[in-house]
Structures are given as C-alpha cells and as structure tokens.
Amino acid sequence: MLKDLFTPCLILDRGKLDNNIRKIKSIVSKQNIDFRPHLKTAKCLEITKILVKEFGPRAMVSTIEELEKLKSSGINDFLYSVAIVPNKLDRIAKNLSNNCKITVSVDNISTAQELVSFYKSTGNRINAVIELDLDGHRSGVRPYANDQLIKIGKCLDEFDLFRGMMSHAGESYGLSNAEDIKNCARNEADQTLMAAETIQKAGINCELVTIGSTPTALSGCKNAGITELRAGVFMFFDLVQSGVGVCEVKEIALSVLTSVISYNKEIDAIIVDAGWMALSRDRGTYSQETDYGYGQVCYEDGTLIKDVIVTNVQQEHGIIQVRKGGNAELPYFKPGEVLRVLPNHACATAAAHSSYNVVNQKNQIIDVWDRFNGW
Amino acid sequence: MLKDLFTPCLILDRGKLDNNIRKIKSIVSKQNIDFRPHLKTAKCLEITKILVKEFGPRAMVSTIEELEKLKSSGINDFLYSVAIVPNKLDRIAKNLSNNCKITVSVDNISTAQELVSFYKSTGNRINAVIELDLDGHRSGVRPYANDQLIKIGKCLDEFDLFRGMMSHAGESYGLSNAEDIKNCARNEADQTLMAAETIQKAGINCELVTIGSTPTALSGCKNAGITELRAGVFMFFDLVQSGVGVCEVKEIALSVLTSVISYNKEIDAIIVDAGWMALSRDRGTYSQETDYGYGQVCYEDGTLIKDVIVTNVQQEHGIIQVRKGGNAELPYFKPGEVLRVLPNHACATAAAHSSYNVVNQKNQIIDVWDRFNGW
C-alpha cells in the first residue's frame, strides 16, 4: 500500500518506465545507429541494467560518481558529458580497465594538451571527443571554428586519444511543436556532421559522431554519418517534456508521494509535506503554454486531478491549489491522506531522493531501488 | 589546498560560522529567553554539537532523519517543525526515551485526536504545540481562531500532551529594512502571545511559547511572555539574508568551490562545473534589490569579484557573467582554476552536498564534516 510509505518519497511506475524505454527503442531501431542512454536522470543500478539489456553496454554520465557506482551494470564504454577539467583525470584513470573504456569531452586546446600530458606521464589512456556548442550557450567549440577543431583534434589524434564529435541540442527543451523539433534535430545532426567533416578532411578519423537530447532523439530524424544518438529524461519523462510535446502527461513514470498536513480554507489550499526539498525548485514549465507551478497533483492511484497543482513550496511544505483561472473545485482530503505530484523536471526531482519505490499497474510496491547523488 | 578538492564541493568558513553563532548568542543573551537552533540548514552532527555547547540541549528539526541522526549530539528536547501527519507517529515514538523528549506541532483537531489515540493505545508520550499561521500562507491555526485553539488545546491537555504555541514569521524573508523587520518581529510575538493567552484563559497551561525566523530573531525585539526564540540559517547566512539586511555578504560562511571548464568569448562567460545540482535552483534574490542570479562569484580565496554572478545553470554547468548593467570586466581564468560561489539560499545549496570542507582563515582545510538529507 502506498499509504504505508513514509512521505515524501518517490514512486516509479514500472509499466510506464518500460513503455518509455520501448518508445525510444522503436525509434532508434529504425535507424542504423547506436543508442547511448544518459544515466544522470536515474542514477540507479537497476535501471542501468535494464538499459544495458535494451541498448548495449554503453552509457553517458554526468559525474564520475555515476561511472563508479554503475560500472558493475556491465557498461564498458562510458562517455562523460561535462567537458573535463584536468584535476578529474586521476580519479577517472582509476576506473579504466579492459572492461571499462572512458571517453571525456574537451572544448579547448589547453585541456586537450593536459590530457595528452596525463597520458604521456601515466600511460593511462583516457579518450576524448570534442564537445560542440550548437547554440552558443555554454561549453563547447563552435562547429564552424575550423582552426580550433583541427588544433584540438590533431593534439589528441597524435597519441591516438581522439574519438570524435559530441553535441547536444539543449535548445530543443525550449520548443513546443513537432516541426520545430524536427528542424532542431536536423540542425543538430548537420552542424555536428559539418564539424566531423572538417576534422576528417584534416586527416583525423572520427569514429564517434554522437548527438542527442530527448526531444530531438524522439523526433525520428535520420542522418547518415551520425553514429550514435543519446537521451536521458525519456525514461521517466516529465511535465516539461509534455510541454515540449514529446510525451503525454499520462506517460510520466515518476511522481512524489506526499501526505496531507491540513486544509487551509482561508486560501483554499491543501498543505502537504512535500516542499522544495522533495519536489525541487525547478520551474521549467513556467515559460511553457501550461504552467504546472511546482507539479501536477494526482490522487493516490495516479489519476490526475484536473487544474490542481502545487502553487508554492517552502523547504518541507507544498501548497496545493486550483491553478489561476482553473474551473475545478479543490477536493477535500483529510489530514494523513496521500497524493502524488508529477514533476516539472524528472532529473531535479529524482535528485532530491535516495530511492525509487517501484510500483506495478495496481500500485503495489514491487521493488525499492537505490539512487545516489554526488560527483 | 582548495585546488586539490574534487569539484564541485562545499566550503565552510569556520571563523565565519563561529562569528555568526556568536552574533545571535549576544542578542539572545540580552533577553531572558531560551534559544532553539533549527538543524535543517546544516544537517550536520559536528555543527549540532557546537550549537548544543552554545545554546543548550534543545533543537528544532524539519525531518525525523535529523532527529535520528543528530540525537547523539546531546540534544534531549526536539521540536519537529512540520505539522505532523499521523503516519509519522510510529517512527517518532521509536526515538523517545528518558534522554529524548519529542514535541510535534499540530494545526487541526483531527490530528490532535490521532495523537491522543496514539498515546492511549501505545503509551508513547509525544507532546505537541499548536502551530500558528501568522501570515495565512500555509499550515497552522490562525491566532484569532479562539474556538479552534481551545478545542485542540483541551484535546491534548486532557492527557497532558500539550506544551504550548509555536509560530514562525516566514514573511520576514520578504522584507528589506530594519524597521519593517522590527514590526514583523513585534507582530510575531504579539500574535503568538494573544493565542497563548486565549489558551491560558481556558485553563490550559502554556509552558512553551516559541517564535522565530532568522530576521526576526536577529532584530533583538524583546517580549515578556515569549519563552523561546528559534532560527536556522543564521549560522551560515546567505545572499537572501544579506538582501533582507540581517547580514553582510562578507559574513556568509558557506560557498561552493567550482572548477573553470572553459571561457566562452562569444557570450563573455566563464563555464564552470557547478550547475543546479551543486548550487540549487533557488532564485531567492530575484525579487530583492540586488539579484545575484544563481550566486555571487568569488576568487579561490573568497574575495568577492564585484558584479560577477552565476547568470544561468544547467544540471552540471554554471554560466558566470558580469551582471546586466555591471561595470566590471570579466576576469580571465584558465581551465582548471577554481572559483567560489556564495549561495542565494544556504539551506538549498547545502542540501545538494554530502559534506562540508571546513576551512580556517588561511583557507586551509581543517575538517571534513558529513551532512545528510532525507526524511
């Protein structure tokens, strides 16, 4: 019984998780391409094992902690997504083995040179891709910065440390219709292929050309020359992804179980024990057509309560109200009854918890899976 | 050397922590009143021990996890801040002992009755205060709701489970000048005393009349009849509290150490390895006079870099730029150099990490203290 769980806690719907994984598998299988799931969303050994079974022994990670805690899943080819800083090489090297190849990403010549020095002085072979910056928002080399690309590529290739090109269409999260997402996916592929071509023309082999974000990966856009697609949040989905249009709200596999503390008649609000500590402060739906506040509220069984959202959060309190302009009436719940909240952003909400309570279609708890944070 | 730490991670300045504790102690010691620190900010055994030494064996907690993990500090009088839901009583009762008295808060008669039933059926004496809602924002009984107060009070008092009144001037975080904070503190005390009087006139003893928030507690407002003051974030302080006006930026004891990934010339930005996972998504300074984005940037030694803030965050990336309208020029940092980021909200930023790297005035690491999350 969900009611017996100590709240707040995470509920993971196993059927929806499986469906979401099948959904991307069916898209990827239509292309002659590898799929590399991003482990940063789930940070969970059991889920990683499912992904290895479905997609093979390769994964993307956002922290070395993920790499260390999840390598027992059978993954032997890790790609570390955050462009590397030199003082992390030592710890990465400790995880190298015949059964564990690790590729980092670099976006500047200084770090590429450090990687080469590290190899020369320790003999530890940490491979690298060049991170591309498609939208000018953060780290990465611009795909048209030919001199920079070739300089970094040659520096790494001389010692056989170069693997290829990596990009991520982060802009896709800001879109909301299929046409724009297709265009974004096409652009992601085109720009990455252009940069790969620049490198190849300079006589450097590009074995790996990897792109992806959940929206663009799900768009089904095909591109010869791209060797690998990546995505992460697809396994859980969330309200932001439903706003982007790549899933329906009913496909969201993750929710937070919370207990009703009391009913505040003065402001027509239900006060619950899930605040920003349990839901996160993510407000990713704020700029979307439907703003879900800090989350969409559901009954204990997962049935959505129309127009009822978490309108405010404090550290350990959530304020549930009918959304502004909503037609619904706020149902009454007794202190101690439980509700479920669908997250704006699954990565952020999952990060607030240390385990998943896995439920079947009847909302029976069939597993408890640990998850972790940290770097 | 801070440079040797694996980034991102928390830095806690021991000298500033001690000063901040002294600051509130000097205010409290001028009043004939107990002080109850809130452990939700630090969630750390070593810090709790310091607090016990300074203020005695009483504390406020926001989770049962805090209670369980911190009772070995010597605290024997816990007040659980979040109005209780019945299914948490079992676990609370397991922590009761001659050396551990636990008081919960209630805000409705149904939960008060559950507490009494629990006592009658198990013999476990969990005491309770009535939580007051001063600003109509979340849980709590309104201080003028005399019938409700007396009903709950009598229900608990019949079995000697009633301790008193608890309130929290949450509104004080939205203020920004000393006069308003004093008024808010006066109101917090007056409203709470009014409710306590209502209860006492009904023949119920009010042993505990506890109020507080960091801004109102630091205001030095004196009130006969109030038995206890509470505060939490005062020990670290943060940018929000500096915006409220109760500390200076240089008093902030907590920061996040982060490594420079690269320099993005196109958008004049430094890209670092601290994103929302390390800084939190808290934007508490957004509505204040000075908006610090996702945090104020400092050099490795803690010296503030004027007008340089974290303007955007992704999961594991922070984007550092000169604030809009700022006069400063963005200094150049090589990939691998480290910076420090002062948090908007210390509770949220600390929650993203599992330990504090404690430094002395020379920025030498003198201790590593564990912290925890969870409920």
Side-chain angles (χ1 to χ4, degrees):
Chain A
M1 288 276 290
L2 297 193
K3 251 187 189 155
D4 298 332
L5 291 171
F6 194 87
T7 57
C9 63
L10 281 183
I11 305 293
L12 177 59
D13 186 309
R14 178 65 201 257
K16 291 181 182 180
L17 172 70
D18 290 343
N19 280 343
N20 295 343
I21 291 173
R22 262 195 297 276
K23 185 172 177 171
I24 208 155
K25 196 176 178 182
S26 81
I27 288 170
V28 173
S29 64
K30 284 178 199 141
Q31 306 174 46
N32 183 21
I33 201 165
D34 286 332
F35 181 71
R36 185 187 294 273
H38 204 321
L39 307 183
K40 70 166 187 164
T41 306
K43 300 196 192 229
C44 168
L45 186 60
E46 286 80 0
I47 295 175
T48 306
K49 285 179 180 170
I50 296 171
L51 295 167
V52 169
K53 209 174 142 199
E54 296 295 334
F55 302 110
R58 81 189 71 75
M60 182 90 152
V61 292
S62 69
T63 63
I64 302 178
E65 196 78 8
E66 290 164 45
L67 193 161
E68 290 174 347
K69 293 230 165 104
L70 300 174
K71 63 182 179 177
S72 69
S73 63
I75 288 172
N76 59 26
D77 172 6
F78 283 100
L79 179 57
Y80 180 59
S81 66
V82 184
I84 198 68
V85 289
N87 74 358
K88 296 185 180 173
L89 295 176
D90 265 334
R91 191 169 148 207
I92 290 178
K94 286 194 185 113
N95 291 287
L96 289 169
S97 74
N98 288 339
N99 293 320
C100 192
K101 179 165 76 174
I102 302 169
T103 304
V104 298
S105 63
V106 296
D107 76 341
N108 65 81
I109 185 67
S110 145
T111 304
Q113 286 162 345
E114 293 262 12
L115 198 64
V116 167
S117 303
F118 183 80
Y119 170 64
K120 289 202 292 195
S121 67
T122 68
N124 288 312
R125 181 173 294 283
I126 300 172
N127 295 307
V129 291
I130 297 177
E131 181 188 23
L132 296 177
D133 180 14
L134 300 185
D135 43 24
H137 284 165
R138 64 176 190 201
S139 52
V141 179
R142 295 298 258 162
Y144 43 76
N146 294 0
D147 291 352
Q148 222 183 326
L149 290 172
I150 293 169
K151 203 168 165 190
I152 298 173
K154 280 197 168 161
C155 167
L156 295 165
D157 190 50
E158 193 186 338
F159 297 90
D160 209 16
L161 299 175
F162 183 72
R163 281 195 78 189
M165 288 294 161
M166 173 184 96
S167 72
H168 165 65
E171 272 193 317
S172 65
Y173 298 115
L175 306 176
S176 58
N177 76 70
E179 194 53 34
D180 289 346
I181 294 170
K182 282 232 169 191
N183 286 338
C184 184
R186 232 171 267 132
N187 179 60
E188 185 185 38
D190 289 349
Q191 302 259 313
T192 310
L193 285 170
M194 181 181 80
E197 209 174 295
T198 301
I199 283 280
Q200 277 157 335
K201 274 188 185 156
I204 306 162
N205 184 37
C206 239
E207 167 230 332
L208 187 63
V209 184
T210 174
I211 64 173
S213 71
T214 286
T216 55
L218 284 166
S219 74
C221 177
K222 287 182 202 178
N223 278 284
I226 299 294
T227 68
E228 183 180 281
L229 218 52
R230 305 186 321 274
V233 77
F234 74 91
M235 54 189 90
F236 293 160
F237 281 135
D238 54 29
L239 295 166
V240 167
Q241 295 298 322
S242 85
V244 173
V246 296
C247 73
E248 291 181 57
V249 171
K250 67 179 181 201
E251 292 177 294
I252 299 172
L254 196 73
S255 59
V256 173
L257 189 77
T258 182
S259 295
V260 172
I261 292 175
S262 56
Y263 200 101
N264 184 329
K265 281 176 199 156
E266 204 166 324
I267 56 168
D268 266 326
I270 301 163
I271 317 299
V272 294
D273 67 354
W276 55 254
M277 267 289 206
L279 298 174
S280 93
R281 269 210 176 272
D282 195 283
R283 286 285 289 108
T285 59
Y286 176 70
S287 52
Q288 294 187 322
E289 197 182 319
T290 306
D291 180 354
Y292 289 96
Y294 292 90
Q296 166 68 48
V297 180
C298 304
Y299 292 99
E300 179 181 353
D301 70 357
T303 309
L304 198 138
I305 312 178
K306 193 177 170 308
D307 282 343
V308 175
I309 63 173
V310 180
T311 53
N312 205 355
V313 283
Q314 285 127 34
Q315 186 155 350
E316 300 291 354
H317 293 86
I319 316 297
I320 289 176
Q321 291 173 300
V322 172
R323 67 163 68 255
K324 257 187 198 159
N327 280 323
E329 202 166 306
L330 191 66
Y332 176 77
F333 296 96
K334 267 203 323 200
E337 288 195 81
V338 293
L339 297 168
R340 277 157 82 171
V341 180
L342 300 177
N344 276 329
H345 186 175
C347 304
T349 301
H353 299 263
S354 59
S355 64
Y356 300 98
N357 295 286
V358 186
V359 300
N360 63 12
Q361 267 194 320
K362 291 176 182 164
N363 281 311
Q364 292 161 325
I365 298 157
I366 51 171
D367 267 311
V368 179
W369 292 342
D370 282 344
R371 57 155 287 134
F372 57 88
N373 287 319
W375 293 271
Chain B
M1 288 275 292
L2 296 193
K3 251 187 190 155
D4 298 331
L5 291 171
F6 194 87
T7 58
C9 63
L10 280 184
I11 305 293
L12 178 59
D13 186 310
R14 178 64 201 256
K16 292 181 181 179
L17 171 70
D18 290 343
N19 280 343
N20 295 343
I21 291 173
R22 260 196 298 276
K23 186 171 176 170
I24 208 155
K25 196 177 178 181
S26 82
I27 288 171
V28 173
S29 64
K30 284 177 200 143
Q31 305 175 46
N32 183 21
I33 201 166
D34 286 332
F35 181 70
R36 184 186 294 271
H38 204 320
L39 307 183
K40 71 166 186 163
T41 305
K43 300 195 191 229
C44 168
L45 186 59
E46 286 81 359
I47 295 175
T48 305
K49 284 179 181 170
I50 296 171
L51 295 167
V52 169
K53 209 174 140 197
E54 296 295 335
F55 301 111
R58 80 190 72 74
M60 181 91 152
V61 292
S62 69
T63 64
I64 301 176
E65 197 77 8
E66 289 164 45
L67 193 160
E68 290 175 346
K69 291 229 166 105
L70 301 174
K71 64 182 178 176
S72 69
S73 64
I75 288 172
N76 59 26
D77 172 6
F78 282 100
L79 179 56
Y80 180 59
S81 64
V82 184
I84 198 69
V85 290
N87 75 358
K88 296 185 179 171
L89 295 177
D90 265 332
R91 192 168 148 207
I92 290 177
K94 286 193 184 114
N95 291 287
L96 289 169
S97 74
N98 287 339
N99 292 319
C100 191
K101 178 164 77 173
I102 301 168
T103 305
V104 297
S105 63
V106 296
D107 75 342
N108 64 82
I109 184 66
S110 145
T111 304
Q113 285 161 345
E114 294 262 10
L115 198 64
V116 167
S117 303
F118 183 80
Y119 169 65
K120 290 203 291 194
S121 67
T122 68
N124 288 313
R125 180 174 295 283
I126 300 172
N127 295 307
V129 292
I130 296 178
E131 180 188 22
L132 296 177
D133 180 14
L134 300 186
D135 42 25
H137 284 163
R138 64 176 191 201
S139 52
V141 179
R142 297 297 256 161
Y144 44 75
N146 294 0
D147 291 351
Q148 222 182 326
L149 290 172
I150 292 169
K151 202 168 166 190
I152 298 173
K154 281 197 168 162
C155 168
L156 294 165
D157 190 51
E158 191 184 340
F159 296 89
D160 209 15
L161 299 175
F162 183 74
R163 282 195 79 189
M165 290 294 161
M166 173 183 95
S167 71
H168 165 67
E171 271 192 319
S172 65
Y173 299 115
L175 306 176
S176 58
N177 76 69
E179 193 54 34
D180 288 347
I181 294 170
K182 282 232 169 191
N183 286 337
C184 183
R186 230 170 270 131
N187 180 60
E188 184 185 39
D190 289 348
Q191 302 259 314
T192 310
L193 285 169
M194 181 181 81
E197 208 175 297
T198 301
I199 284 280
Q200 278 157 335
K201 274 188 186 156
I204 306 163
N205 184 36
C206 239
E207 166 230 333
L208 187 64
V209 185
T210 173
I211 64 172
S213 70
T214 287
T216 54
L218 284 166
S219 74
C221 176
K222 288 181 200 177
N223 278 285
I226 300 293
T227 68
E228 182 180 281
L229 218 52
R230 304 186 321 274
V233 77
F234 75 91
M235 54 190 90
F236 293 160
F237 282 135
D238 54 29
L239 294 167
V240 167
Q241 295 298 322
S242 86
V244 173
V246 296
C247 73
E248 291 182 58
V249 172
K250 67 178 181 200
E251 292 176 295
I252 299 172
L254 196 72
S255 59
V256 173
L257 189 76
T258 182
S259 295
V260 172
I261 291 174
S262 56
Y263 200 101
N264 184 328
K265 282 174 198 158
E266 206 168 321
I267 56 168
D268 267 327
I270 301 163
I271 316 300
V272 294
D273 68 352
W276 55 253
M277 267 288 206
L279 298 174
S280 94
R281 270 212 176 271
D282 194 284
R283 287 287 286 109
T285 59
Y286 175 71
S287 53
Q288 294 188 322
E289 196 181 321
T290 305
D291 179 355
Y292 289 96
Y294 292 91
Q296 166 68 47
V297 181
C298 304
Y299 292 101
E300 180 181 352
D301 70 357
T303 310
L304 198 139
I305 312 179
K306 193 179 170 310
D307 282 343
V308 175
I309 63 172
V310 180
T311 53
N312 204 355
V313 283
Q314 285 128 33
Q315 187 156 351
E316 299 292 354
H317 293 86
I319 317 295
I320 290 176
Q321 292 174 301
V322 173
R323 68 163 68 255
K324 258 187 198 157
N327 280 323
E329 203 166 305
L330 192 67
Y332 177 77
F333 295 97
K334 267 203 324 198
E337 287 195 81
V338 294
L339 297 167
R340 277 157 82 171
V341 180
L342 300 177
N344 276 329
H345 186 176
C347 304
T349 300
H353 299 262
S354 60
S355 64
Y356 300 98
N357 295 286
V358 186
V359 299
N360 64 12
Q361 266 195 318
K362 292 176 182 164
N363 281 310
Q364 292 161 325
I365 298 157
I366 50 171
D367 268 311
V368 179
W369 292 342
D370 283 344
R371 55 155 288 134
F372 58 88
N373 287 319
W375 293 270

